Amino acid sequence: MNGNRRNIYGYLRLILPPVLAIGTLFVPGWYQWAIDKVMTPLGDHPAVLLGVLGVLVVAWWYTGVGWFESNQQRDGRIEQLETENRALQQALAKPDADDQFLFDKILTELPEDSGRLGWLTSGEFSGRSWRQSDMRKISDFTDAYANQKFRDPVVQAAWTDWWKALDDFWRRSLAERTSEDIPIGGGEDYHCEIRQPRERDDTSPTYEQTAEQLMDLRDAIFAARDRFIDAGSDQRFSRRVLIDAITPI
């Protein structure tokens, strides 16, 4: 409210002086009397009064201009400081506790030597074959986290992309499984391969193309994973769980 009053006062100081000066100068009779009575004593001469008044008006007007400009600069600086303060508060804010908990939980899945995705980086997956138990690690992961969401929109967007990359890989590999899976040992695990050339028709990708597609989808998983970790870092999420998991004891 006080700021509005100061702004109104500033505008009045800019507008009123020239209006008063012009109005005073051209009041009927004053200007003509100054011309007709040129020999009037200096102290009684209206021209002198007008001159003094003009000097005061001009001084007041320039003061008003300076005040207005300084006021505008001050308001602009205050607005800039408020913007910087909001940005600083946002930068220093900690992630939501539930978001950090979910982030930590997901990061435990990532270590290449022990996480659910580790087998994708080893010789166990060549783009042509895999173990059924390993592939179930992907479906178990997507099922377990299908409804998990972050409040932070940046991390949530990266998480959505990563989850979709995992799901795309699993569905593509599932559609390509051959009917000739080989049992491993006496358990329920199987060695799976993509459909052989003889099982394909002319409209299907070739055996080699399918293997290349699966490798591309595998690479997309790790690229999306890295973007998810980077998004968490950018939003000030702690990565201590991941660091501890991959640091040799």
Side-chain angles (χ1 to χ4, degrees):
M1 188 66 180
N2 291 334
N4 292 335
R5 289 179 178 175
R6 286 194 296 267
N7 287 334
I8 293 173
Y9 177 67
Y11 285 118
L12 289 176
R13 293 190 71 177
L14 287 175
I15 296 172
L16 286 180
V19 171
L20 290 174
I22 295 173
T24 302
L25 185 62
F26 291 99
V27 168
W30 275 62
Y31 186 71
Q32 187 62 42
W33 192 57
I35 295 176
D36 295 341
K37 304 293 184 178
V38 293
M39 299 306 293
T40 303
L42 189 61
D44 298 330
H45 205 298
V48 176
L49 297 177
L50 288 176
V52 173
L53 179 61
V55 171
L56 293 176
V57 165
V58 170
W60 190 33
W61 185 74
Y62 274 111
T63 303
V65 170
W67 177 89
F68 182 76
E69 291 178 347
S70 63
N71 190 54
Q72 290 292 91
Q73 292 173 353
R74 184 205 61 191
D75 291 345
R77 181 58 178 163
I78 291 175
E79 183 177 354
Q80 180 184 355
L81 289 174
E82 289 176 346
T83 302
E84 293 175 354
N85 182 55
R86 287 193 296 269
L88 181 60
Q89 289 180 348
Q90 183 178 5
L92 295 177
K94 292 183 178 180
D96 179 84
D98 290 338
D99 274 6
Q100 182 66 62
F101 178 81
L102 178 58
F103 192 73
D104 290 344
K105 187 177 179 182
I106 293 173
L107 291 187
T108 61
E109 310 282 358
L110 302 186
E112 296 182 358
D113 57 344
S114 60
R116 297 195 200 196
L117 306 182
W119 63 277
L120 282 171
T121 61
S122 68
E124 297 178 18
F125 176 72
S126 64
R128 299 173 185 270
S129 63
W130 55 88
R131 295 169 68 102
Q132 189 181 53
S133 58
D134 286 330
M135 190 57 66
R136 278 201 299 266
K137 295 175 183 177
I138 300 293
S139 61
D140 289 346
F141 182 90
T142 54
D143 289 346
Y145 294 96
N147 297 318
Q148 301 293 314
K149 297 185 182 298
F150 290 89
R151 293 185 174 91
D152 187 292
V154 175
V155 177
Q156 175 59 35
W159 165 238
T160 298
D161 290 343
W162 185 29
W163 188 94
K164 186 177 184 303
L166 287 161
D167 191 59
D168 288 346
F169 174 82
W170 179 78
R171 292 181 183 277
R172 186 75 178 90
S173 62
L174 185 65
E176 285 298 331
R177 280 182 52 186
T178 178
S179 58
E180 300 178 359
D181 295 343
I182 303 171
I184 299 176
E188 298 181 355
D189 200 5
Y190 286 83
H191 179 77
C192 308
E193 291 187 343
I194 59 176
R195 289 185 290 120
Q196 301 296 315
R198 65 178 182 276
E199 300 178 88
R200 299 174 180 278
D201 55 37
D202 294 338
T203 62
S204 301
T206 65
Y207 181 83
E208 290 76 14
Q209 287 174 334
T210 300
E212 185 176 350
Q213 289 173 2
L214 286 173
M215 294 296 284
D216 289 342
L217 289 171
R218 187 275 312 268
D219 293 342
I221 287 175
F222 289 110
R225 178 203 63 182
D226 292 343
R227 289 195 297 272
F228 172 73
I229 297 174
D230 290 342
S233 297
D234 292 342
Q235 298 303 105
R236 302 164 303 282
F237 280 68
S238 170
R239 296 188 300 166
R240 176 54 54 188
V241 168
L242 178 62
I243 294 172
D244 290 345
I246 63 178
T247 300
I249 299 176

